Amino acid sequence: MKASNLCIITLAMTTSFGVLAKDANTPVSDAVILEQRQELAENTEDEGFGPQSPRDIDSKAGNNTTLFSTAPSYTEMNLCNIHFHKNAEHKGGEFTVYAGNGDGEGYHTGYRYSGKLSDAELAPVMNEVCPSKHGDLKPGDTIEVHYVHSTAQVEPGPTLGACLSDANKNPQLRVETQVYVLVNDKNAYDFEELTEHEVQDGVHQAVAIPTNTGKPIQYMGSTTGPGYNEKGSPFQVTWSVRPKVAKVNIETVGEWCEGNAFDEDHAHGVRNLVVNKDLLSEIVN
C-alpha cells in the first residue's frame, strides 16, 4: 500500500480542525460546533460526497441518494481492524445522553449510555486504563467499538490502512458496531474475548461480537473520526450499529490496550454527529 493512501486514512482518525477549547476541561461553545457543521456543509455542497457517518440511528430520514453497493455480510469479509472511541459516535438506542461539546477536536464529546449503573459497577479501579494525553478510561465510561471488515485479501492489523492492499485499494467496507459501558465487575464481558479473531471459512473473523444487543441498524455511510468535522469523508462504508449497550469489565479493556494485534492503546476521538440530511442516507431497514 502506498504511503499516501495510509496517510489519507490515518487523517480520519488523528487530524483536528476548528477552534479549540482553552482548557481540555472547558467545552467549546455551541457556536464552534455550529461553525464546524457549516464548514462541512459548504465543503461538501455539490461536490458529490456520499452519505456520511455517524448519525442518529433512531432517525431514518436522509436526502443523500448517492448509490453504492451494500457490503456483504461481515461473515463473508475479512476483519481488518478493531478500534474504539470514547463515548459513542452514533446516537440512539441506549446511548442518547450527550456528553457535551468537548474540546472541538473530538474529545469529551459524543454520547453516553443512558441506563443506570450500581455503585459497585462505578467503583474506582486502582490502575489507569488506556491512558492518553486526553485522559484515561473510568468505570461508567461509554465506548463505541468498530469491528472493521474489508473485501480485500487482508489480515487484521493497525489502523484503517490494514483494510486496503496493493491489489485492492477500493474494497467494500463494513463496520460492525457495538457500544459498551465500562464497569468494575469481573462478571461482565471480557474485552479480550470480545475482540478475539480467527480464520473461519477462509476469512478473518471477529468471533465474539455480541448477538444479544438488538437487531443492528444498517445504513450507508462513511468513515468517521474528528478529522472529518469540517470536510466530507470520501470512503463508502456499510454500517451495522447495534442499539443496545453491553457491559464490559473495565480491567479487561486495560489489558487489551497493553497489547493487541491492532497496536491500539487508547480511545479515539469522535466526529460530530452528522445532522445535515443532505449528507445522510435514508435508513430502510
Side-chain angles (χ1 to χ4, degrees):
M1 183 182 61
K2 293 182 179 179
S4 59
N5 291 317
L6 179 58
C7 288
I8 290 172
I9 296 176
T10 303
L11 185 66
M13 302 174 66
T14 60
T15 306
S16 301
F17 298 88
V19 181
L20 309 184
K22 294 181 180 180
D23 185 287
N25 296 318
T26 303
V28 298
S29 68
D30 291 347
V32 171
I33 305 302
L34 183 62
E35 181 180 356
Q36 290 178 333
R37 287 188 166 130
Q38 182 63 32
E39 287 290 325
L40 175 63
E42 293 175 359
N43 291 333
T44 55
E45 186 176 11
D46 297 327
E47 294 295 328
F49 281 94
Q52 301 290 295
S53 301
R55 67 177 295 157
D56 183 341
I57 61 170
D58 290 338
S59 174
K60 295 185 176 183
N63 299 333
N64 192 296
T65 57
T66 299
L67 297 177
F68 58 93
S69 298
T70 302
S73 167
Y74 76 92
T75 58
E76 301 173 17
M77 305 173 71
N78 280 305
L79 175 75
C80 52
N81 182 258
I82 298 176
H83 63 273
F84 67 85
H85 302 255
K86 182 176 179 179
N87 296 324
E89 288 198 290
H90 289 84
K91 175 188 178 183
E94 295 183 339
F95 36 96
T96 58
V97 177
Y98 187 47
N101 292 338
D103 64 357
E105 287 192 313
Y107 294 94
H108 312 293
T109 186
Y111 291 86
R112 297 174 57 86
Y113 174 50
S114 51
K116 301 290 186 180
L117 298 174
S118 69
D119 290 342
E121 290 173 322
L122 293 170
V125 293
M126 295 294 293
N127 300 320
E128 286 189 321
V129 176
C130 306
S132 74
K133 65 180 181 180
H134 301 286
D136 61 342
L137 299 176
K138 307 288 187 185
D141 282 343
T142 299
I143 62 173
E144 179 173 310
V145 177
H146 293 166
Y147 300 83
V148 190
H149 297 75
S150 171
T151 54
Q153 293 185 18
V154 292
E155 298 180 352
T159 81
L160 297 182
C163 303
L164 308 182
S165 71
D166 288 335
N168 187 354
K169 298 186 184 301
N170 188 33
Q172 289 179 286
L173 300 173
R174 175 182 283 277
V175 180
E176 296 295 315
T177 305
Q178 177 62 58
V179 176
Y180 297 100
V181 62
L182 310 185
V183 294
N184 187 350
D185 182 358
K186 297 185 183 300
N187 294 318
Y189 276 113
D190 184 317
F191 194 69
E192 293 192 292
E193 293 180 1
L194 291 168
T195 54
E196 285 182 351
H197 51 91
E198 60 186 48
V199 176
Q200 292 186 344
D201 297 326
V203 290
H204 293 274
Q205 290 287 285
V207 296
I209 301 174
T211 58
N212 60 348
T213 49
K215 180 183 177 182
I217 305 300
Q218 180 171 287
Y219 76 94
M220 314 306 280
S222 70
T223 52
T224 63
Y228 289 122
N229 276 345
E230 296 179 345
K231 66 178 185 178
S233 165
F235 297 96
Q236 299 175 336
V237 179
T238 301
W239 285 84
S240 291
V241 184
R242 290 150 180 80
K244 294 183 179 180
V245 172
K247 295 178 180 180
V248 65
N249 179 359
I250 187 171
E251 292 185 356
T252 63
V253 179
E255 291 165 359
W256 187 80
C257 281
E258 292 175 0
N260 55 75
F262 312 100
D263 290 347
E264 292 288 331
D265 62 6
H266 66 280
H268 295 276
V270 306
R271 185 186 189 183
N272 292 338
L273 196 73
V274 179
V275 297
N276 180 352
K277 287 185 173 57
D278 290 339
L279 292 175
L280 294 174
S281 63
E282 181 181 8
I283 297 177
V284 295
N285 69 334

